[in-house]
């Protein structure tokens, strides 16, 4: 199901190979730009002309309107044409920003200090996060957040194309969780959380993760979903209770006296005490004190206890 | 033979209560994303079930530990196994061991309180008890419920116990008397289905089959992939929790070691105002 829908969609017009799809997308981008140009020019030009007629002679107003319309149209045409590039820049904006900051920092440092100082500063900047485990894990976790957004985009672009125009869901921000990352995504028309549920295993593979879960992030808007990418298992660890921290362990011990039976072994218990089979079973399974504390109770039907045990066999 | 643990000399510190309230969310563990999981125990009943050694008593002890450190909270404990809830016995208003008569009497007592509370609420034009009412929360905790409903006592007593418990579970929610129960398998021959279905929160610890998991969480969850039979037998304390959100969540219950439990119990005994009632007063309620 996951593979067939894109194939069917493109199958009619092309052979379905990757290059043809891209050519098609390219063509549609050129056509879209043309349509956008014409529409913007007509609408903006018309409006501008209408407004201008109340100040100028109608013919001058018409010319001015045409000029304004063509200028805005050209601007919109350009925007639509370079949109793929802008989108690409936006996708890599964090990385570009990071690279710029790092490079500028490096160049400034190299220009203003001696080589030795430069090396020492770099060694400290790299060595301290690498040496302190907590910091190192933080850096790695946030790096995964950057990576995983790109991987998710690959998923959407490669095998979850949903809408006719091939527009991708908006991949919003990502934060680290103790098990991996959590990414918020705003779906575009043509996709739903239910659709994606069937492909979580493939998404996990693409994200180099163990499993991926999807959940709605908003009660009121089905387009707003959350991906939970799991790389580690936390449920195997022991969890401590915060109650231990609110108490003062030096509190004086207190306990009421207990009557402890002395018959702690089988020979110590007289035969008549355990005449009833149903009582003997739980008493043997639990602890010896039960026998004496409960010695006088009437029996339940033995079938009950047998069922109880056999349920687990 | 009677052994008494000698009380050590009073510590230098002044007893200060932990300042918790039963109306606070109760921490019970973490979910699969490492986020803490809290339960609103006052307004919900909790049923924990799963195979022996799954970690049910561990979960129940977390709730007891929270309960004893709370202001204005009374505990009523049922534990046929004695050791699981035994550490809290001095802090509880009633501690029922393997004695079904005492258990039935205690449940009757609780039901009378519940009915009286509803009359009080009616007189005060209210439908639900709130944290500002100054009324105590009476937390009833039952470990190994099956012992009372199938093993101890006569058939008639077991049925009476189940009926009374059903009454408490259905009445207790809105009047500050929640019930937390643990049992190995809540199938109809152990607990009547009508009683099982009254528990709003379910925790399914490891089970051996899809069917057992469905019995705990409710029909149909195993088919959707939520089955406690896929929990590793070595991963004790892991469970599927069905609470808020409507979907079972994988959780790991927090674990209190014996030392932790006794430390908490000692501290609670040290700080609690002795408002506890002891012994079973004559209720004058013959069956
Ligand atoms: N949350 C937990 N984390 C780690 N270990 C746990 C946890 N809960 C339980 N265990 C381990 O599992 C053992 C059995 O747990 P527990 O007594 O709670 O099981 P149970 O379900 O109550 O069993 P039974 O049905 O026999 O009463 C404990 O002794 C402890 O070692
Ligand atoms: Mg137990």
């Amino acid at each position: 199901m996951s593979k067939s829908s894109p194939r069917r969609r493109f199958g009619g017009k092309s052979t379905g190979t990757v290059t043809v799809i891209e050519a098609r997308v390219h063509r549609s981008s050129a056509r879209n730009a043309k349509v956008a140009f014409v529409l913007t020019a007509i609408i903006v030009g018309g409006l501008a002309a209408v407004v201008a007629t109340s100040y100028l002679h109608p013919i001058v107003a018409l010319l001015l309107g045409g000029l304004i319309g063509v200028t805005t149209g050209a601007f919109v045409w350009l925007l639509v044409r370079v949109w793929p590039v802008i989108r690409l820049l936006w996708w890599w904006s964090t990385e570009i920003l990071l690279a710029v900051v790092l490079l500028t920092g490096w160049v400034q440092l190299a220009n203003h200090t001696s080589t030795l100082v430069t090396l020492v500063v770099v060694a400290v900047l790299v060595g301290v996060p690498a040496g302190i485990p907590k910091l190192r894990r933080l850096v790695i976790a946030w790096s995964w957040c950057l990576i995983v957004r790109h991987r998710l985009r690959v998923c959407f672009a490669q095998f979850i194309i949903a809408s006719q125009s091939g527009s991708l869901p908006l991949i919003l921000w990502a934060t680290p969780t103790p098990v991996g990352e959590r990414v918020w995504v705003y779906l575009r028309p043509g996709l739903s959380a239910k659709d994606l549920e069937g492909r979580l295993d493939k998404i996990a593979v693409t994200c180099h993760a163990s499993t991926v879960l999807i959940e709605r992030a908003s009660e009121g808007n089905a387009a707003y979903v959350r991906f939970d990418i799991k790389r580690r298992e936390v449920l195997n660890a022991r969890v401590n209770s915060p109650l231990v921290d609110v108490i003062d362990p030096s509190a004086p011990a207190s306990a009421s006296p207990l009557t402890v039976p002395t018959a702690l072994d089988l020979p110590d218990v007289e035969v008549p005490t355990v005449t009833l089979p149903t009582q003997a079973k739980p008493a043997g399974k639990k602890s010896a004190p039960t026998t004496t504390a409960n010695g006088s109770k009437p029996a339940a039907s033995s079938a009950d206890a047998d069922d109880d045990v056999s349920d687990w066999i | 033979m009677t052994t008494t643990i000698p009380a050590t000399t009073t510590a230098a510190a002044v007893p200060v209560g932990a300042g918790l309230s039963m109306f606070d969310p109760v921490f019970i563990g973490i979910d699969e994303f490492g986020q803490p999981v809290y339960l609103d125990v006052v307004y919900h009943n909790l049923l924990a079930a799963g195979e022996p050694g799954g970690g049910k008593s561990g979960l129940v002890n977390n709730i007891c530990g929270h309960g004893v450190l709370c202001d204005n909270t009374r505990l009523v404990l049922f534990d046929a196994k004695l050791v699981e809830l035994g550490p809290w016995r001095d802090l509880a208003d009633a501690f029922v061991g393997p004695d079904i008569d005492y258990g039935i009497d205690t449940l009757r007592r609780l039901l009378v309180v519940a009915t009286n509370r509803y009359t009080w609420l009616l007189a005060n034009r209210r439908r639900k008890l709130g944290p500002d009412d100054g009324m105590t929360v009476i937390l009833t905790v039952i470990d190994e419920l099956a012992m009372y409903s199938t093993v101890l006592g006569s058939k008639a007593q077991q049925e009476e116990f189940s009926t009374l418990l059903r009454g408490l579970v259905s009445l207790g929610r809105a009047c500050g008397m929640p019930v937390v129960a643990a049992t190995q398998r809540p199938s109809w021959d152990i607990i009547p289905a009508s009683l099982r279905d009254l528990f709003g929160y379910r925790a399914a610890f490891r089970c051996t089959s899809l069917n057992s998991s469905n019995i705990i969480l409710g029909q149909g969850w195993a088919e959707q992939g939520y089955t406690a039979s896929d929990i590793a037998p070595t991963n004790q304390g892991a469970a599927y929790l069905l609470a808020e959100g409507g979907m079972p969540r994988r959780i790991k219950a927090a674990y209190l070691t014996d030392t932790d439990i006794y430390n908490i119990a000692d501290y609670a005994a040290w700080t609690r105002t002795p408002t506890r009632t002891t012994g079973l007063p004559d209720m004058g309620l013959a069956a």
Side-chain angles (χ1 to χ4, degrees), chain A:
Chain A
M1 159 229 162
S2 50
K3 264 184 186 163
S4 66
S5 49
R7 216 179 263 165
R8 197 180 344 110
R9 189 163 304 123
F10 299 119
K13 281 187 181 173
S14 68
T15 54
T17 58
V18 177
T19 39
V20 175
I21 292 171
E22 278 185 344
R24 197 191 84 96
V25 167
H26 189 74
R27 261 209 314 277
S28 84
S29 154
R31 211 188 57 214
N32 283 349
K34 233 178 272 169
V35 170
F37 171 78
V38 171
L39 278 181
T40 320
I42 290 175
I43 293 171
V44 174
L47 281 178
V50 167
V51 173
T53 42
S54 53
Y55 300 100
L56 301 167
H57 188 273
I59 294 177
V60 182
L62 212 62
L63 284 177
L64 185 70
L67 197 71
I68 293 178
V70 168
T71 325
T72 0
F75 181 71
V76 169
W77 179 85
L78 192 74
L79 205 67
V80 174
R81 276 329 291 267
V82 300
W83 180 247
V85 180
I86 296 179
R87 209 164 56 169
L88 208 69
L89 286 180
W90 168 248
W91 286 338
W92 292 94
S93 55
T94 322
E95 285 82 353
I96 293 172
L97 202 75
L98 268 178
V100 167
V101 166
L102 284 181
L103 274 179
T104 324
W106 166 258
V107 170
Q108 293 292 328
L109 200 68
N111 283 350
H112 293 284
T113 56
S114 68
T115 318
L116 192 70
V117 176
T118 312
L119 285 180
V120 166
V121 169
V122 170
V124 167
L125 280 182
V126 175
V128 167
I132 300 173
K134 217 173 172 173
L135 223 54
R136 187 175 60 222
R137 279 197 290 270
L138 199 75
V139 170
I140 293 176
W142 281 102
S143 314
W144 267 113
C145 287
L146 284 183
I147 296 168
V148 92
R149 293 181 68 228
H150 292 296
R151 300 311 298 169
L152 267 186
R153 205 188 60 241
V154 169
C155 294
F156 286 122
Q158 296 293 319
F159 60 91
I160 325 185
I161 301 165
S163 68
Q164 201 107 59
S165 61
S167 54
L168 302 179
L170 284 179
I171 298 168
L172 306 172
W173 55 92
T175 53
T177 63
V179 291
E181 299 85 38
R182 183 167 279 185
V183 190
W184 281 265
V185 171
Y186 196 88
L187 299 180
R188 309 290 283 272
L191 265 188
S192 74
K194 260 249 153 3
D195 282 341
L196 295 172
E197 252 163 34
R199 309 186 192 183
L200 291 178
D201 43 349
K202 288 184 196 163
I203 299 179
V205 169
T206 316
C207 296
H208 314 296
S210 122
T211 51
V212 173
L213 292 179
I214 182 168
E215 226 176 281
R216 280 177 64 156
S218 150
E219 286 285 321
N221 190 345
Y224 192 38
V225 297
R226 201 175 70 195
F227 284 86
D228 273 302
I229 289 128
K230 275 181 72 180
R231 306 179 188 285
R232 293 173 287 276
E233 183 62 81
V234 281
L235 295 187
N236 292 331
R238 224 193 81 182
V239 181
N240 291 320
S241 170
L243 293 177
V244 180
D245 302 326
V246 301
I247 61 159
D248 174 1
S250 65
S254 72
S256 59
L258 273 179
T259 312
V260 179
T262 45
L264 295 178
D265 201 356
L266 193 57
D268 303 337
V269 181
E270 298 286 312
V271 175
T273 327
V274 276
T275 42
L276 304 162
T278 39
Q279 265 182 313
K281 251 182 229 165
K285 200 176 79 186
K286 308 290 171 191
S287 60
T290 319
T291 318
T292 41
N294 190 32
S296 59
K297 292 288 158 296
S301 72
S302 62
D304 269 273
D306 282 337
D307 281 351
D308 190 8
V309 173
S310 62
D311 272 338
W312 291 106
I313 297 171

Side-chain angles (χ1 to χ4, degrees), chain A residues 178-179 230 239 256 304 312, chain B residues 32-33 90 155 184 252 255:
Chain A
V179 291
K230 275 181 72 180
V239 181
S256 59
D304 269 273
W312 291 106
Chain B
E32 57 185 319
F33 305 112
D90 293 331
K155 198 94 200 150
Q184 289 172 348
K252 173 90 172 199
Y255 190 65

